[in-house]
Amino acid sequence: MHLKCHVFPARRNKQAFFRQLCSAGTPIPTITDLIYRQQWSKLKTFLQNADPNTILQELIASGADAELTFRHSHSLEVSFKVLHTLAYTRKYSKIRSFLDDFVKKDTSSSVSSVFHAISVCADSFCVNSIIVDMLVLTYVQNKKTHLGIEAFKRAGDYGFKLSVVSCNPLLSALVKEGETEDVEFVYRNMIKRRIEPNLITFNILISGLCKMGKLNKAKDVVEDMKVWGFLPNVITYNTLIGGYCKMGRIGKMYKAGAILKEMVASGICPDEVTFNTLIDGYCKDDNLSAAMKVFGEMQNQGLKPNLVTYNSLISGLCMNGKVNEAVSLWDEMTLLCLKPTVVTYNALVNGFCKNNMMNEARQLFDDMGKQGVSPNVITYNTMIDGYSKAKKMEDAFAMYHSMFERGIFPDVSTYNCLISALCREGYMAEAWKYVDEMHGRGLRVDLVTYNILIGSLCSKGEVRKAVRLLDEIYRKRLCPSHLTFNTLIEGYCTEGNLKAAMIMRARMEKEGKRANVVTYNVLIKGYCKKGKLEDANELLNEMLEKGLVPNKITYEIVKEEMLEKGFIPDIEGHLYNVSVKS
DNA sequence: GTAGGGTTAG
């Protein structure tokens, strides 16, 4: 308990203040009395022995400023007692500023001790609920989502009622942080605790489910919200379309189009965001003609393409090798007085880098400074990757060193670019040095780093070492991807260890990762190389039975290895009839 | 007091 005398009114008012207290008939507060008589040592002894509640009551009764009392007391119980007093007098903005201060500065109190303090010093369910509700919101606003979710859970245990005002931001923060399980947990509990969701609640939930790839569940929620009396709005539909667009790579773009039709049929008018989402989706699905069609349709509807529209198209064209067309769009947008931002620059710089035009990339990079657009870490990463893939390692490292001078600091991707470059050039030891350096900068190795290292070890025939890294992935609580497993399977196949490759596939499926086209291609190629064409053929049939669509690479393997060796695959007719995806 | 779109690395 630390109390300072400036909790009380200024010295020159003290006498008047004391007289006022006496005249009001209040019993002379001991603390006030001691302070008035400036008996500091007695005061100290008194404070050390007194019960916090007594002191608090005296302070409140003496008219001391509640806010100051709170700020100078280090006891949770006293603090929350003050909050209750404020809640009774409806001084909510003061409570908010107290809590904000508390959440920012207090790093020692656990959520459970806070709840204990709140519940012991109050009796009113309503007041407690209000304070707890504000506490949850304050945690979220201060980016302490983990404490927010804990408070949400405890509020349930204590039976305090939260409001949609704090549950929505909590849900939104959980979605942004990718805490997928908690998103569904909070929503389910809101319903259970009769916290009525609103349209925004549903939109946040749908957005979360889309990010998790649970598109079917997201669609179910759209039906649920109608039952609650909320009709999906333009944001709901845009979120769903965006969800399907992100799945464009696995052929879900047609579903995005279906949602668009549904949206129009329900009388919701697509806006710029709708069109931009679709354009970006088609671009990432390498379907530039569809993207351009939507671009035209958008203008027909009287909607003006904006920066985001051009950024998507420029990026899409660049990734498809159509850098010249990207440059003409750049010119078009500048004519429309849309000023390229760092995102636009990054897209085009990336286009030059990916298409072996490092001089042009450099020119554009230098132009940014002249145009007053600052490069960011993505610009640097793009340039570093471009230079190292062009085998200009000195330039890549010069870029890396120069970013520090501009106050831009490397992130995990920067190191992944460098590590990947060093591995490609065979400098494994150097690559590991950069793994250490990123640790030194407080950056955590991510799955991409592991995939790079695993790929490099496998290509050197050190599959056993690579498998040890797979175990390390789990220890770091990361989740291996299809790429991780496919790389390892390929590693085993290249060293001719087909048995180990099949065991790795089994492990992959056990982890819930179903073998994909790449997995089959790698395995089929492995069996072909060993001359086991019948087994390869069996795998090919298995792949088709599972509904996987062979791609160009499957076709090449079958043609080169099987057909040319006089082996006619059982599924030949089947394989040649399916549409081969590039 | 909260919801939707654009840029990098495997």
Side-chain angles (χ1 to χ4, degrees), chain A residues 186-195 197 202 228:
Chain A
V186 168
Y187 175 68
R188 273 200 312 274
N189 270 271
M190 282 176 72
I191 305 300
K192 219 183 269 172
R193 299 188 209 165
R194 301 187 188 284
I195 304 166
F202 287 109
W228 280 82

Side-chain angles (χ1 to χ4, degrees), chain A residues 137 140 163-180 182-184 186-187 190 197-212 214 217-218 221-222 225 232-233 235-237 239-240:
Chain A
L137 183 61
V140 174
S163 73
V164 72
V165 173
S166 46
C167 291
N168 281 351
L170 175 64
L171 262 182
S172 169
L174 291 169
V175 167
K176 284 199 184 87
E177 291 169 25
E179 300 289 341
T180 51
D182 285 338
V183 171
E184 289 185 273
V186 168
Y187 175 68
M190 282 176 72
N198 58 22
L199 175 61
I200 297 178
T201 317
F202 287 109
N203 284 343
I204 298 170
L205 181 63
I206 290 165
S207 147
L209 291 167
C210 285
K211 287 203 173 81
M212 294 150 69
K214 298 185 175 180
K217 252 190 174 166
V221 174
V222 175
M225 66 193 278
N233 64 3
I235 296 183
T236 321
Y237 283 111
T239 309
L240 270 180

Side-chain angles (χ1 to χ4, degrees), chain A residues 263-282:
Chain A
M263 168 178 187
V264 175
S266 325
I268 306 286
C269 193
D271 63 5
E272 284 91 343
V273 177
T274 323
F275 285 104
N276 287 344
T277 309
L278 284 165
I279 288 171
D280 195 60
Y282 283 122

Side-chain angles (χ1 to χ4, degrees), chain A residues 143-157:
Chain A
K143 313 246 177 283
K144 299 189 177 180
T145 314
H146 56 293
L147 298 179
I149 183 78
E150 201 188 330
F152 177 88
K153 287 176 183 164
R154 293 208 182 263
D157 299 339

Side-chain angles (χ1 to χ4, degrees), chain A residues 8 265 272 379 437 488 514 524 539 565:
Chain A
F8 295 89
E272 284 91 343
T379 327
E437 186 170 331
L488 286 163
R514 293 192 52 188
I524 291 168
L539 281 164
K565 283 175 190 156

Side-chain angles (χ1 to χ4, degrees), chain A residues 4-9 68 72:
Chain A
K4 291 180 186 163
C5 37
H6 63 261
V7 167
F8 295 89
L68 285 172
H72 293 282

